[in-house]
Amino acid sequence: MSTTIVLHSSSVDATDTTMTEGEGETATIYQELLSFLSSPRNDLQKAAAEATLAALTPSTSDSTSNNEAAQSLTTLNVIRPLCKIASISSQQTAGSNDALCALNILCSHQLVGNQCILDFLDCKGIGRCIELALSNPPDTPPSTAASISALNNNTTENGDDAAENSEESKISKEWNEWRKQVNYACALLANATRDEKGAVEFIGQSFPNEAIPSSFMQNSKNSDEEEKVENDTKDTTKPTAMLLLSRFLNPLFIDTSSSAYKTTVEAWEKNSLSEDEQQQNQNNKNDDFDEYDAFDQEDTHTNEATIELQKAKQSITMDMNEHYDPYQHIAAVIMNITQLESGRKFLMKIMHSTKGGGDRKSDDETTSHLQSLLPQLSSPNTTRRQGIAGTLKNCCFATDSIWWLLNVVNMDKSLLMTLAGPEELTIEEKIGLDPDYWLLGPQKVREPNVLVRLYVVEAILLLLASGRRTRETLRERRTYVIIKLADMVEESEEVSERLLECVQYLRRDEEGTEEGSSDKRAYETYARGLLEMDGAKNSKALLQLPPSTTAAASSGSKGDDEEDYENID
């Protein structure tokens, strides 16, 4: 027999509790709810978790309708019993997912979110969420997610009554419950790591010891014996973060039969510009101009774009109920931990592979976790794109790795590909520009999400501000062409301001150089590249050109050139 706990709307609604007696009655109800959450009976815990989630869920018309419930429950320290219920497997109690969802609402609440995160960290919730995120799927799963999708389709076709009695329906439901639990756990990790303490705790529990700063190590070197124990501990790694990354990058966990997944993919595929908009952009671009002036742009949708950006900043993740992609929120976790130097070092650490099974390291076969994340910028899932774009922005703060980011990772190309659109370029604009930016023609889709665009433009701005050598490299790669076209159609005022700052960096002449030297050097570099294609025939012309600023970078050598990239001005 199921147990149901009902919270009367007249008691919970703030408008009906203006009298002192009403406030006392409301406080009593929340205290009773807390006692039910702490009950040893599973049925009472399940019912109390459902009631808590119902009280915390805001109405569709008013997003602040849950303020009183959130404040009252936070004052009563509801985080601890919710963490206890959430730590139980969803197969043992259905209240686990309700508790996880309630924790997410509290930790992301505008008024009490910060306090709830601290309470959650005090309950050691990071470790348990990691365990839930890495939990095994149901015991008898099909071999691939495609067969899971087939099960879901069969469930729909056979009807509800027949599906409930079938073994396939049971397996499908178990997988859906598992996806929901993992999705909530990853979302809770994303909320908890927004706080620096949470990010440090996540790094301490999931990263290899060598990635953890010495200031965060608990053991001190008081004797030779303790030194030996600590060194032995450092040799053992904690592969938790790598396991989370592998699951994040594994598409087999995504439920491709979900209606939410299909809607997301259709929206992503249909996000190209209409023919009328393409023609309008083409007409605007055909106007004669020598140099683009960002102040001449007319933003007809500035207010709407600003509101959209504010909403995106307030809630960086998608609806938590959309659990077709259970590991989507790991992108936000990665973005949060890369705000710390240790998190950036973990992502950018170079991993060597061997040839022929030998032990010799090959410079030609090196990679990093950061490079494996770059394809996620073209994912149809907005949550993934937002998190990875923010991650790339945070990695640009590592000024000592700028040479590697530009010439090995080619981060500038990954960033600019999101800003490139379907506009047709002139022959002059194509000179020196990577063909990948314009080969797709009208089929090329510019990033539709305003927050992703903001993170990408800010990442480019950080690269430009890192030093003169970086700016020269980006000028020679014709970054200005993509920035100019992106600014012409940008609707967000904040993004447009960042684009204008990028334009000022790219178009200005460096200190101590003559006027127009930046453009002249960029064209000279492109001319050198054409002449070097047939060096024997054009040897005399090559001698007349000044040396290229990226000659060493293009040949793969570093040395003193890398130091020039680290000069910040």
Side-chain angles (χ1 to χ4, degrees), residues 125-175:
I126 292 284
R128 182 52 185 158
C129 281
I130 292 176
E131 292 178 5
L132 292 175
L134 292 176
S135 61
N136 292 325
D139 295 334
T140 56
S143 57
T144 63
S147 51
I148 287 291
S149 301
L151 287 180
N152 292 334
N153 291 332
N154 290 335
T155 298
T156 304
E157 294 174 359
N158 295 335
D160 295 337
D161 297 337
E164 289 178 359
N165 298 325
S166 65
E167 185 65 24
E168 291 182 350
S169 175
K170 180 180 178 182
I171 296 176
S172 177
K173 288 181 179 179
E174 289 177 353
W175 268 79

Side-chain angles (χ1 to χ4, degrees), residues 247-290:
R247 293 201 176 189
F248 171 72
L249 297 172
N250 190 348
L252 295 181
F253 291 107
I254 301 176
D255 181 11
T256 55
S257 69
S258 169
S259 59
Y261 171 80
K262 294 178 181 178
T263 302
T264 301
V265 173
E266 290 176 0
W268 174 253
E269 292 176 349
K270 294 180 180 179
N271 216 347
S272 58
L273 293 174
S274 64
E275 294 182 0
D276 294 337
E277 290 174 323
Q278 294 179 24
Q279 185 64 36
Q280 181 65 31
N281 290 336
Q282 182 64 28
N283 294 337
N284 292 337
K285 205 178 75 63
N286 287 337
D287 294 336
D288 294 332
F289 59 88
D290 294 330

Side-chain angles (χ1 to χ4, degrees), residues 358-391:
D359 296 333
R360 185 177 180 180
K361 295 180 179 179
S362 173
D363 291 337
D364 297 331
E365 297 184 6
T366 60
T367 186
S368 63
H369 294 304
L370 179 63
Q371 290 167 279
S372 66
L373 295 175
L374 294 178
Q376 296 299 319
L377 279 177
S378 58
S379 170
N381 190 320
T382 306
T383 303
R384 287 175 174 257
R385 299 200 310 276
Q386 287 178 345
I388 299 307
T391 299

Side-chain angles (χ1 to χ4, degrees), residues 74-86:
T74 302
T75 303
L76 296 173
N77 195 13
V78 75
I79 297 295
R80 183 171 295 277
L82 285 177
C83 287
K84 184 177 180 180
I85 298 175

Side-chain angles (χ1 to χ4, degrees), residues 345-358:
K345 287 183 177 179
F346 170 76
L347 280 187
M348 295 189 292
K349 180 181 178 181
I350 297 177
M351 297 178 291
H352 295 268
S353 59
T354 57
K355 287 184 177 180

